[in-house]
Amino acid sequence: WPSEADKVVMALERVGLAEYTYGVYTYLFERWMQNGGPDDGKICSIHQQWGCMNGSVLNMMANRLLITRSREEFQYFRPYMLRMLGWIRREREKSSTDGVSLCKGLFPVGKGCDWDDVAQFWCTTDAINAGGVLRMAEAFAAFDDPEAQALRDEGEAYLQILKDIFADQYQGHE
């Protein structure tokens, strides 16, 4: 799962072994990314689908770009990153209209991990996805991409929804 593999891949890249991890990304794009349709840009596990997979891959790719500073890789990754973000956006929109989700603007009810529970998973899904969007914004800014500020604003707004929910749920449990 990308949300577990990212720790290993990012550790290798941090210690100077990025040349050995590039294939991870092409594998994800070629084998796991949905092409076309309503799930375009979704990273699909061959085992189970977790809501945080796209955010994990965005975080992983952004970290790599911030380490390597490779403009060539940025140009290659950019359209994939935008497609993955597009899927995150479409999923978040569902929580406003599905009639089941308690928190609007977050991911709808689904699987957050390999447990059998089905719910809205703020920590294992939305926190990872919001973090991925924010890290993506940092990478875009590092390459002076015109989308960087809009991505940062979007990531901050996503994070604010989480902060508001946590503050509301924690109130009275101090």
Side-chain angles (χ1 to χ4, degrees):
W1 288 283
S3 50
E4 293 173 341
D6 63 350
K7 283 81 172 156
V8 176
V9 172
M10 289 188 301
L12 291 169
E13 291 169 347
R14 274 193 306 271
V15 299
L17 299 171
E19 64 193 271
Y20 300 103
T21 61
Y22 188 79
V24 171
Y25 303 99
T26 57
Y27 177 83
L28 289 170
F29 301 151
E30 293 170 8
R31 304 271 178 110
W32 282 27
M33 182 179 272
Q34 287 290 112
N35 291 303
D39 282 335
D40 182 63
K42 177 182 180 182
I43 299 295
C44 293
S45 169
I46 57 174
H47 302 288
Q48 292 185 35
Q49 182 59 43
W50 301 352
C52 64
M53 288 189 188
N54 278 40
S56 295
V57 176
L58 285 175
N59 186 47
M60 191 167 53
M61 290 189 335
N63 276 315
R64 177 186 179 84
L65 292 169
L66 291 166
I67 289 169
T68 66
R69 300 293 178 170
S70 169
R71 183 159 293 282
E72 181 180 332
E73 285 188 13
F74 176 69
Q75 294 302 326
Y76 175 71
F77 285 171
R78 186 182 189 280
Y80 291 108
M81 294 173 90
L82 290 171
R83 286 177 56 209
M84 286 188 284
L85 175 60
W87 182 78
I88 289 172
R89 287 172 175 158
R90 291 189 302 278
E91 287 300 297
R92 290 179 60 211
E93 287 174 11
K94 290 178 183 178
S95 69
S96 296
T97 59
D98 67 6
V100 178
S101 300
L102 297 175
C103 303
K104 309 306 180 207
L106 298 181
F107 258 57
V109 170
K111 286 190 65 96
C113 63
D114 51 358
W115 299 344
D116 290 332
D117 299 335
V118 176
Q120 276 187 292
F121 290 94
W122 306 326
C123 296
T124 56
T125 298
D126 291 292
I128 291 171
N129 287 333
V133 174
L134 288 167
R135 196 68 169 154
M136 177 182 174
E138 288 179 53
F140 275 52
F143 291 94
D144 297 318
D145 190 283
E147 295 292 321
Q149 187 57 51
L151 290 170
R152 176 156 247 0
D153 294 344
E154 181 175 348
E156 291 291 344
Y158 191 179
L159 184 59
Q160 189 59 53
I161 294 169
L162 279 172
K163 288 178 179 179
D164 292 346
I165 289 167
F166 274 76
D168 179 64
Q169 295 299 309
Y170 188 69
Q171 187 174 4
H173 299 281
E174 295 84 2

